[in-house]
Amino acid sequence: MANYKSVLIVDDEKNIRDSLIRHIRFKFKKLNYEIHIMEANNGEEAVQVAQKKIPDLILMDIRMPVMDGLQACDILRSNPQLDTTVIIFLTAELTAEVKALSSGADDYIKKPFDIKALLIRVERGLNTKKSAELSLHDPKTGLCSRRYFESVRLDAEICRAKRHNRYLCLMLFQVEKVAMQNSKNESDDVSGWISCLPNRISDIMVTWKENVFAILLPETNASGAVIVAEHFTNNLQENFPFLKLSIGISYLNELSCDALIPFAETSLAVAHDTGFIAINGKAVVK
């Protein structure tokens, strides 16, 4: 049976779209792939098409009318359903590399491009999509895996926050079972606590390690993160009173990007020792 893949080609020049469609179909027919190709002639159309039917890979020009490729990529990367979609930019700009990669793209190809090289990048991208799907989620919790989060999502979210001068917080929390007077009546199945997690569509929830989890909070400052943490704590205590929660938070402000995780881990240790929520290594009263 042929491998089914979908590719979205975004370019305001129809002759380029037609050429790419012809070469991609010919290439992948020989590899026993069934390729479904979608088209868009600007970034706004690309967002509409991709959100209606999630593509495995997007080939997208940067310079386009209505909405350029960078803006479209930023919107697409904010949708968790498009986490594993590979985005490759097509560009004639000499300074496009930094812009393309900081917007959340996986790769870029300079125009005029060599079609053989482009097809190799497309094939590699489709294989990357398959691998990413396998490691995207932790099988026990269904949350995002730490490996995928650190290697793919975190850098993209940091670049987006810095490029648009927006807030970004990382919250680590540890869940522990504690003894209670009526412990004999407690259920050993505590998997339902995950339903108490914040459910904002923009938040990225991660299995960090044994009994430790993370939430990346875009568009959220330190005080906003504390509100989320308090709501989570109250919800958990109401539904699972035999669980203890420690929360550590770091935020992207004066911190360097590399310090976001270490400060969150230090904050979690402080929170565990003091019983308070901690931010950037300092305990704060709940």
Side-chain angles (χ1 to χ4, degrees):
M1 178 182 285
N3 294 310
Y4 180 85
K5 296 290 182 181
S6 59
V7 176
L8 172 60
I9 298 175
V10 189
D11 199 298
D12 58 318
E13 297 186 44
K14 189 176 186 304
N15 62 321
I16 292 180
R17 298 201 309 271
D18 290 343
S19 176
L20 288 171
I21 290 171
R22 184 171 62 252
H23 283 98
I24 288 173
R25 282 181 172 158
F26 181 76
K27 163 78 173 179
F28 288 96
K29 184 177 181 180
K30 295 193 299 181
L31 296 176
N32 199 32
Y33 276 80
E34 181 184 341
I35 296 290
H36 173 64
I37 297 180
M38 301 173 283
E39 298 180 64
N41 60 23
N42 60 61
E44 187 175 271
E45 283 189 12
V47 171
Q48 294 171 353
V49 171
Q51 291 181 338
K52 186 176 296 184
K53 182 174 177 58
I54 306 297
D56 295 300
L57 183 141
I58 299 174
L59 277 174
M60 183 157 54
D61 191 21
I62 286 185
R63 289 281 187 180
M64 292 182 293
V66 184
M67 179 186 290
D68 66 28
L70 295 173
Q71 292 173 294
C73 185
D74 199 39
I75 295 172
L76 292 169
R77 282 301 186 221
S78 68
N79 184 346
Q81 292 182 311
L82 289 153
D83 278 347
T84 59
T85 295
V86 175
I87 299 178
I88 302 176
F89 273 129
L90 307 175
T91 179
E93 297 181 22
L94 295 176
T95 59
E97 179 180 4
V98 174
K99 291 181 180 179
L101 298 180
S102 67
S103 69
D106 299 281
D107 202 352
Y108 77 101
I109 299 172
K110 289 183 180 179
K111 290 182 177 181
F113 48 79
D114 177 82
I115 191 62
K116 290 183 179 179
L118 183 144
L119 292 173
I120 290 172
R121 300 279 188 91
V122 170
E123 183 180 3
R124 183 193 304 160
L126 290 174
N127 289 332
T128 299
K129 156 74 175 181
K130 182 177 180 181
S131 298
E133 283 181 329
L134 295 175
S135 60
L136 174 60
H137 293 104
D138 172 51
K140 291 183 179 180
T141 63
L143 303 179
C144 180
S145 68
R146 178 176 177 177
R147 180 177 180 182
Y148 173 73
F149 172 73
E150 289 194 79
S151 62
V152 179
R153 289 305 304 272
L154 182 59
D155 285 346
E157 293 296 334
I158 287 174
C159 287
R160 183 178 295 111
K162 293 183 78 67
R163 184 155 66 91
H164 295 290
N165 195 29
R166 294 172 179 169
Y167 296 115
L168 183 68
C169 282
L170 176 63
M171 179 190 299
L172 290 183
F173 56 96
Q174 183 173 358
V175 179
E176 300 172 279
K177 194 171 181 180
V178 296
M180 296 182 66
Q181 289 183 346
N182 297 324
S183 59
K184 62 180 180 179
N185 296 324
E186 293 171 16
S187 170
D188 289 331
D189 181 14
V190 297
S191 58
W193 72 264
I194 292 179
S195 64
C196 297
L197 288 169
N199 59 359
R200 301 186 309 177
I201 192 171
S202 61
D203 298 343
I204 302 166
M205 302 176 213
V206 186
T207 298
W208 202 253
K209 60 182 181 180
E210 186 70 22
N211 297 325
V212 179
F213 304 86
I215 305 177
L216 190 69
L217 304 166
E219 306 282 354
T220 306
N221 60 15
S223 59
V226 171
I227 292 173
V228 172
E230 290 176 338
H231 176 73
F232 179 26
T233 300
N234 293 335
N235 199 0
L236 191 74
Q237 288 178 345
E238 180 180 347
N239 292 280
F240 298 91
F242 49 91
L243 293 180
K244 175 188 174 184
L245 189 64
S246 303
I247 298 179
I249 300 168
S250 63
Y251 58 91
L252 190 67
N253 187 7
E254 299 302 323
L255 293 180
S256 67
C257 300
D258 293 336
L260 197 63
I261 289 177
F263 266 80
E265 291 179 329
T266 299
S267 298
L268 179 61
V270 171
H272 187 269
D273 292 341
T274 63
F276 297 113
I277 297 171
I279 301 179
N280 283 1
K282 298 180 180 180
V284 295
V285 178
K286 292 183 181 181

